[in-house]
Amino acid sequence: MAKSDRRPCCLNSAPPLLLGAHVSIAGGVHKAIERGAEHGCTAIQIFVKGNTRWDFPPLDSLEIKMFKEARRNSSVKCVIAHAIYLINLASGDPVVRHKSIADVVDELRRCEALGVDSLVIHPGAHGGLGTEAGIQNVARALDEIFDQVGKCRCHLLLETTAGQGTALAATFEELRAIIAQTSRRRRLGVCLDTAHVFAAGYDLRTAEGYANLWRDFDAALGRGLLRAIHLNDSKGRCGSRLDRHEHIGKGLIGQQAFRRLVTDARLRGIPMVTETPSSPDPKEIRWLFSVAKRARSMPQE
Ligand SMILES: [Zn+2]
Ligand SMILES: [Zn+2]
């Protein structure tokens, strides 16, 4: 792949504002770039295949070419992908495990072909095996995935979860345990979802809750592992473990937390995308950009 096909998410000097939404690929992957650009997004998230099916036709070379061309000429500087919801790398069921590994390998290859920067996955649910066994299963599956994929520049990001049912990764310690047990740590990163961490117990409504979130993230994982943020308000209460996204400012988190996130100088260069109902929501994106840009025009302390 030519160097110019891939744009880095972070530039060395002044990290760009990478803000946007999850957008549909209906009509072809290149359409996602157009949809993002229409709303002024500088970052988008896409699915690289139908999100509710294991089998999906491969990307053809024309689709890949059109995607790269669209990206080259658009405001969208960073593209991340989200894996299908069927995968469960923590599963003890050999069929589910096999399908999940094959799927993530396929999705990483699609991302690589498109020049997508990162692929986000949910680590999985142990389904009664216990947290430790689930973590071991995920770590082994990740090693197997990277063995099969071989050389690849796309990072695989493990997303924080609300901890519903037996889902792993409601705590940063569980994510750390998974990453510590793999032999491919440099290929991995973390995607933090605001609705999930709120439902898992971080009260983002207060300055103290916001500070605690990053204190714990840095202590367990280190900020270098943070590679994406999902900006979602929550229908579920703080600590409820209920994973229900809501429009920004309309849920129980409220606008203030999102103001803090998009104006936090330490998070510049990290792609932030909304996954709220009916995403991309033009009003929501406009509001996020206006808050972020107002802060950027003011001197930083
Ligand atoms: Zn997700
Ligand atoms: Zn998410």
Side-chain angles (χ1 to χ4, degrees), residues 117-227:
D117 301 283
S118 306
L119 173 68
V120 179
I121 62 167
H122 296 179
H126 64 70
L129 293 176
T131 304
E132 236 164 83
I135 286 171
Q136 268 178 25
N137 283 350
V138 179
R140 273 196 222 114
L142 291 173
D143 280 349
E144 226 173 296
I145 287 163
F146 289 124
D147 280 344
Q148 288 187 36
V149 172
K151 225 173 154 201
C152 144
R153 291 204 280 180
C154 180
H155 280 87
L156 193 54
L157 310 189
L158 307 175
E159 182 172 355
T160 59
T161 67
Q164 70 280 15
T166 62
L168 297 170
T171 66
F172 299 138
E173 283 70 26
E174 286 181 11
L175 282 170
R176 176 174 64 185
I178 293 169
I179 293 168
Q181 288 183 39
T182 67
S183 51
R184 304 303 207 323
R185 286 173 219 168
R186 277 192 296 179
R187 313 278 298 268
L188 295 169
V190 170
C191 172
L192 184 137
D193 186 307
T194 54
H196 298 171
V197 291
F198 181 73
Y202 285 98
D203 191 348
L204 299 176
R205 293 169 294 193
T206 65
E208 195 193 351
Y210 185 77
N212 288 344
L213 171 78
W214 295 117
R215 181 201 60 202
D216 291 357
F217 187 99
D218 291 347
L221 296 161
R223 192 65 65 93
L225 275 173
L226 180 72
R227 285 188 167 266

Side-chain angles (χ1 to χ4, degrees), residues 44-263:
I44 57 167
Q45 178 176 274
I46 58 171
F47 289 120
V48 287
K49 58 193 282 196
N51 70 336
T52 53
R53 283 165 51 191
W54 292 109
D55 298 313
F56 207 70
L59 291 166
D60 63 47
S61 54
L62 182 63
E63 268 183 289
I64 295 169
K65 192 169 163 252
M66 283 164 79
F67 178 85
K68 288 180 175 174
E69 261 172 31
R71 186 174 176 181
R72 211 169 284 137
N73 304 313
S74 98
S75 61
V76 176
K77 303 297 173 219
C78 181
V79 182
I80 62 174
H82 195 297
I84 62 168
Y85 296 130
L86 300 171
I87 58 165
N88 184 4
L89 299 178
S91 175
D93 178 329
V95 177
V96 175
R97 180 184 165 77
H98 177 79
K99 280 185 166 180
S100 300
I101 290 173
D103 177 83
V104 179
V105 168
D106 174 51
E107 296 206 48
L108 269 175
R109 287 189 176 138
R110 286 168 189 258
C111 287
E112 196 67 1
L114 293 167
V116 164
D117 301 283
S118 306
L119 173 68
V120 179
I121 62 167
H122 296 179
H126 64 70
L129 293 176
T131 304
E132 236 164 83
I135 286 171
Q136 268 178 25
N137 283 350
V138 179
R140 273 196 222 114
L142 291 173
D143 280 349
E144 226 173 296
I145 287 163
F146 289 124
D147 280 344
Q148 288 187 36
V149 172
K151 225 173 154 201
C152 144
R153 291 204 280 180
C154 180
H155 280 87
L156 193 54
L157 310 189
L158 307 175
E159 182 172 355
T160 59
T161 67
Q164 70 280 15
T166 62
L168 297 170
T171 66
F172 299 138
E173 283 70 26
E174 286 181 11
L175 282 170
R176 176 174 64 185
I178 293 169
I179 293 168
Q181 288 183 39
T182 67
S183 51
R184 304 303 207 323
R185 286 173 219 168
R186 277 192 296 179
R187 313 278 298 268
L188 295 169
V190 170
C191 172
L192 184 137
D193 186 307
T194 54
H196 298 171
V197 291
F198 181 73
Y202 285 98
D203 191 348
L204 299 176
R205 293 169 294 193
T206 65
E208 195 193 351
Y210 185 77
N212 288 344
L213 171 78
W214 295 117
R215 181 201 60 202
D216 291 357
F217 187 99
D218 291 347
L221 296 161
R223 192 65 65 93
L225 275 173
L226 180 72
R227 285 188 167 266
I229 296 176
H230 287 163
L231 299 175
N232 299 308
D233 211 326
S234 174
K235 279 188 179 140
R237 280 179 296 104
C238 181
S240 65
R241 298 203 152 210
L242 193 67
D243 180 5
R244 295 274 186 286
H245 296 185
E246 180 55 289
H247 283 287
I248 288 171
K250 303 250 168 73
L252 297 173
I253 299 179
Q255 284 186 335
Q256 186 55 33
F258 299 97
R259 262 193 209 104
R260 286 197 180 97
L261 282 157
V262 298
T263 59

